């Protein structure tokens, strides 16, 4: 009944084919790439213009209807998980590249533009967009902004936030905010940084301006095999400690190597316990010098094999295995649960060893494929949701891994966001004072709490119930705690 009523109202604001309201047609929108959680929205809408988005938000705000923004639905933390009585606002049809300006080296984009499409459009000008999530063929720039997404090249070129110049964003009541400029600095508080990574809680991004970089003169990829994960992890630290900043430095363990090799035949050493892919880019002579230095460091660290790829097709072959590693690992078990935590790089060896031990005690295999240079781990927990309690065991193992990241001075997310998935771990990461700041910021943009409710920031009550309300040492107890 509510569905029919809501759809009827929204059809007055949008073209007929832009409102989806039958359970069968809504099913593809029931979740994102974190497939363990599904929820049909009450209604999904696919506006084609900013004015239509504005009209939907304005109407929902007036009628107190929750709204969940969605880009391409490739998120891995349930950020775009629909609200059962709300509207799922799909931005995929706003997919125009509005401008590529080679002189100012920037691109102006609608939020539904695919990440890879930006570099494709910039290539004729010798430019590209650096942040490159492995999902770049599908994920949208609006989703990248909302998640502050990273990728292989973020080690050298930074995350989305470091490559973003400006956004236009609609608040929940449909007001348009212009945030950022294409200049180096902007007056006022840095709302651009605040909005980046805000997971659809503060507003709906309707336009994005990003910085473009000149394509490097030369690129080389070094692939090194190791007979232990610890040796490979130590090699990562050694390369960076010796003053080399690779464009990307990725690591895979045996399970991931074998899965990727069986899937795309990239030429990986199947018998290696760990594999490093190290991309060097820059001017001709610089890359030459760095390649010799890195080769020597990898050998010293115990590399058992070393291949240097320079021709574009050779490099593409080596990266193909890494980029397809998630779906490749997905062939090993009916389900996998992708974690995302960050640790200080020098603790890599220790943490990977402890993840191996946790995998044994929880009785579930874990494949590791990750952005090693950034210390951004992606343990993939393999499980079968059809087996009794296996999802719960996978979740428990995942939670332990994230807590381990916090224990060694890291964080519970590197690039996939908190979403619906990591609310409880937010209680481990933050104390009540920080959480309350987050709630106040949310209220400043969306006082009624209608935009993507229940995501990214847990209530203090939830943390308190978990018994994990964690007040950092040296901080005064917060008065809010008294209420629980
Ligand atoms: C195989 C695979 C590999 C991946 N590899 C990486 C990787 O290397 N690095 C990485 O960072 N991520 C990676 N991801 C995760 C995911 O692709 C990114 O988080 C991506 O940025 C999500 O974009 P999306 O368009 O699919 O957003 P969605 O999943 O649709 O939404 C994600 C969040 O953004 C919000 N949102 C979406 N659009 C807007 C908007 N216009 N305005 C406001 N809020 C909005 C949603 O509410 C939600 O909270 C991977 C995912 C998969 C499946």
């Amino acid at each position: 009944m509510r569905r029919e009523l809501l759809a009827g109202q929204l059809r007055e604001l949008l073209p007929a084919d832009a409102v989806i309201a039958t359970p069968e047609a809504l099913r593809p929108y029931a979740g994102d790439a974190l497939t363990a959680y599904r929820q049909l929205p009450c209604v999904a809408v696919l506006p084609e213009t900013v004015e239509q988005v504005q009209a939907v938000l304005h109407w929902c705000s007036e009628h107190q209807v929750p709204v969940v923004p969605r880009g391409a639905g490739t998120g891995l933390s349930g950020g775009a998980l629909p609200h059962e009585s709300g509207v799922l606002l799909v931005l995929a049809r706003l997919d125009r590249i509005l401008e590529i300006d080679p002189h100012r080296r920037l691109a102006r984009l609608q939020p539904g533009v695919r990440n890879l499409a930006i570099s494709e459009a910039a290539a004729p000008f010798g430019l590209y967009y650096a942040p490159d999530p492995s999902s770049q063929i599908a994920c949208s720039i609006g989703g990248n902004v909302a998640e502050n997404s990273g990728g292989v090249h973020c080690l050298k070129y930074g995350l989305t936030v470091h490559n973003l110049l400006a956004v236009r964003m609609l608040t929940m009541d449909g007001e348009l905010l212009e945030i950022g400029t294409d200049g180096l600095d902007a007056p006022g508080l840095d709302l651009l940084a605040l909005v980046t990574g805000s997971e659809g809680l503060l507003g709906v991004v309707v336009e994005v301006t990003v910085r473009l970089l000149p394509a490097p003169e030369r690129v080389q990829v070094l692939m090194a095999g190791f007979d232990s994960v610890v040796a490979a992890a130590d090699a990562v630290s050694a390369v960076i400690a010796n003053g080399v900043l690779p464009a990307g430095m990725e690591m895979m363990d045996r399970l991931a190597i074998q899965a990727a090799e069986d899937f795309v035949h990239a030429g990986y050493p199947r018998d290696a316990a760990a594999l490093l892919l190290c991309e060097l880019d820059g001017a001709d002579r610089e890359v030459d010098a760095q390649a010799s230095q890195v080769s020597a460091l990898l050998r010293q660290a115990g590399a058992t094999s070393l291949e240097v790829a320079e021709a574009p097709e050779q490099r593409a072959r080596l990266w193909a295995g890494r980029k397809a590693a998630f779906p490749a690992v997905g062939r090993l078990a009916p389900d996998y649960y992708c974690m995302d935590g960050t640790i200080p790089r020098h603790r890599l060896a220790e943490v990977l060893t402890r993840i191996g031990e946790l995998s044994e005690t929880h009785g579930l295999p874990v494949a590791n494929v990750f952005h090693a240079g950034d210390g951004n781990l992606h343990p993939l927990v393999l499980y079968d949701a059809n087996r009794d309690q296996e999802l719960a065991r996978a979740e428990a193992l995942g939670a332990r891994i994230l807590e381990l990241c916090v224990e060694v001075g890291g964080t519970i997310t590197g690039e996939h966001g908190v979403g619906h998935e990591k609310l409880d771990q937010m209680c481990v990461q933050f104390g009540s004072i920080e959480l309350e700041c987050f709630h106040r910021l949310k209220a400043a943009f969306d006082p009624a709490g209608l935009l993507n409710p229940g995501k990214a920031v847990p209530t203090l009550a939830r943390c308190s119930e978990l018994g994990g309300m964690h007040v950092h040492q040296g901080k005064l107890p917060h008065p809010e705690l008294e209420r629980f």
Side-chain angles (χ1 to χ4, degrees):
M1 187 60 182
R2 178 182 166 88
R3 181 166 285 152
E4 282 316 307
L5 283 174
L6 194 51
Q9 295 291 328
L10 292 166
R11 282 196 187 100
E12 291 187 9
L13 307 172
L14 298 169
D17 75 338
V19 180
I20 300 177
T22 62
E24 305 73 49
L26 285 170
R27 216 161 298 285
Y29 298 98
D32 59 12
L34 178 59
T35 52
Y37 307 106
R38 315 300 285 172
Q39 169 64 58
L40 284 191
C42 190
V43 172
V45 295
L46 290 88
E48 287 166 13
T49 66
V50 174
E51 291 70 28
Q52 289 173 6
V53 178
Q54 203 157 20
V56 169
L57 287 170
H58 188 69
W59 189 90
C60 289
S61 176
E62 278 208 331
H63 295 86
Q64 298 288 293
V65 175
V67 172
V68 175
R70 175 186 165 108
T74 67
L76 283 166
S77 57
L81 188 71
H83 190 285
E84 66 177 328
S85 52
V87 169
L88 186 72
L89 176 57
V90 184
L91 282 312
R93 286 187 182 172
L94 279 90
D95 63 352
R96 279 189 306 128
I97 294 181
L98 301 169
E99 183 186 4
I100 300 277
D101 184 337
H103 301 293
R104 287 184 297 156
R105 288 189 182 160
L106 58 82
R108 214 156 50 77
L109 314 151
Q110 287 196 317
V113 171
R114 288 177 308 112
N115 173 294
L116 187 59
I118 309 169
S119 290
E120 285 169 354
F125 305 100
L127 300 171
Y128 76 110
Y129 176 59
D132 53 350
S134 302
S135 53
Q136 65 180 160
I137 193 168
C139 66
S140 74
I141 188 68
N144 291 177
V145 171
E147 296 289 6
N148 191 18
S149 293
V152 166
H153 289 109
C154 292
L155 175 59
K156 185 167 179 181
Y157 297 106
L159 297 160
T160 302
V161 69
H162 305 111
N163 292 272
L164 195 61
L165 294 170
V167 298
R168 303 179 90 209
M169 187 177 90
L170 293 172
T171 60
M172 182 60 213
D173 50 11
E175 299 287 341
L176 183 66
L177 302 184
E178 310 249 4
I179 300 173
T181 73
D182 61 3
L184 278 182
D185 192 15
L189 299 183
D190 191 352
L191 294 185
L192 192 59
L194 175 64
V195 161
T196 315
S198 62
E199 303 196 32
L201 261 66
L202 304 184
V204 176
V205 174
V206 289
E207 191 180 304
V208 182
T209 305
V210 296
R211 192 193 311 280
L212 299 174
L213 298 179
E217 198 175 305
R218 186 157 165 211
V219 181
Q220 275 195 1
V221 178
L222 281 71
M223 175 175 78
F226 290 84
D227 59 13
S228 84
V229 173
V230 172
D234 287 341
V236 173
S237 298
V239 169
I240 296 174
N242 276 277
V244 181
L245 185 58
M249 198 158 197
E250 302 284 301
M251 183 163 156
M252 295 161 79
D253 69 6
R254 193 191 306 274
L255 206 50
I257 297 167
Q258 293 183 351
E261 185 55 19
D262 292 345
F263 190 37
V264 300
H265 312 295
Y268 291 170
R270 288 189 98 266
D271 53 343
L275 181 81
L276 279 186
L277 288 170
C278 176
E279 183 168 297
L280 301 169
D281 70 353
D284 231 2
R285 294 220 321 240
E286 182 191 359
V287 172
D288 258 348
Q290 287 192 342
S292 319
Q293 191 186 355
V294 172
S295 301
L297 287 166
L298 293 173
R299 284 207 181 87
Q300 268 169 35
T304 48
S305 65
L306 188 60
E307 180 181 331
V308 182
E310 178 138 5
E313 59 283 2
Q314 226 183 337
R315 285 190 275 124
R317 173 176 57 77
L318 293 188
W319 279 125
R322 165 61 185 92
K323 296 250 171 186
F326 286 12
V329 169
R331 295 178 353 137
L332 301 181
D335 301 284
Y336 73 86
Y337 182 25
C338 173
M339 309 309 301
D340 166 46
T342 301
I343 56 163
R345 201 168 32 232
H346 67 280
R347 310 280 303 255
L348 267 176
E350 169 196 348
V351 170
L352 289 169
T353 306
R354 285 178 68 187
I355 290 176
E357 290 162 9
L358 286 169
S359 156
E360 295 222 337
T361 49
H362 285 74
L364 294 173
V366 175
N368 286 289
V369 42
F370 59 98
H371 310 304
D374 304 307
N376 181 196
L377 304 177
H378 289 324
L380 302 167
V381 179
L382 305 186
Y383 71 100
D384 181 352
N386 291 318
R387 288 211 191 124
D388 193 31
Q389 291 300 310
E390 255 194 35
L391 171 59
R393 267 168 53 216
E395 287 175 323
L397 171 52
R400 251 325 274 130
I401 292 174
L402 295 180
E403 283 160 24
L404 172 60
C405 293
V406 177
E407 226 173 277
V408 300
T411 65
I412 58 162
T413 168
E415 52 183 20
H416 295 171
V418 175
H420 167 77
E421 176 204 12
K422 293 180 192 160
L423 284 169
D424 290 347
Q425 283 74 43
M426 284 289 279
C427 308
V428 178
Q429 180 95 63
F430 292 106
S432 56
I433 298 175
E434 290 94 348
L435 290 174
E436 207 196 313
C437 281
F438 296 156
H439 282 295
R440 286 190 188 154
L441 283 168
K442 161 79 172 155
F445 284 80
D446 174 23
L450 292 172
L451 208 48
N452 216 359
K455 309 275 178 60
V457 186
T459 59
L460 294 184
R462 179 180 184 130
C463 291
S464 181
E465 273 163 24
L466 275 175
M469 179 51 79
H470 163 73
V471 181
H472 291 301
Q473 269 195 347
K475 284 187 184 165
L476 293 173
H478 193 267
E480 188 74 348
L481 278 177
E482 304 297 321
R483 291 194 219 147
F484 300 108

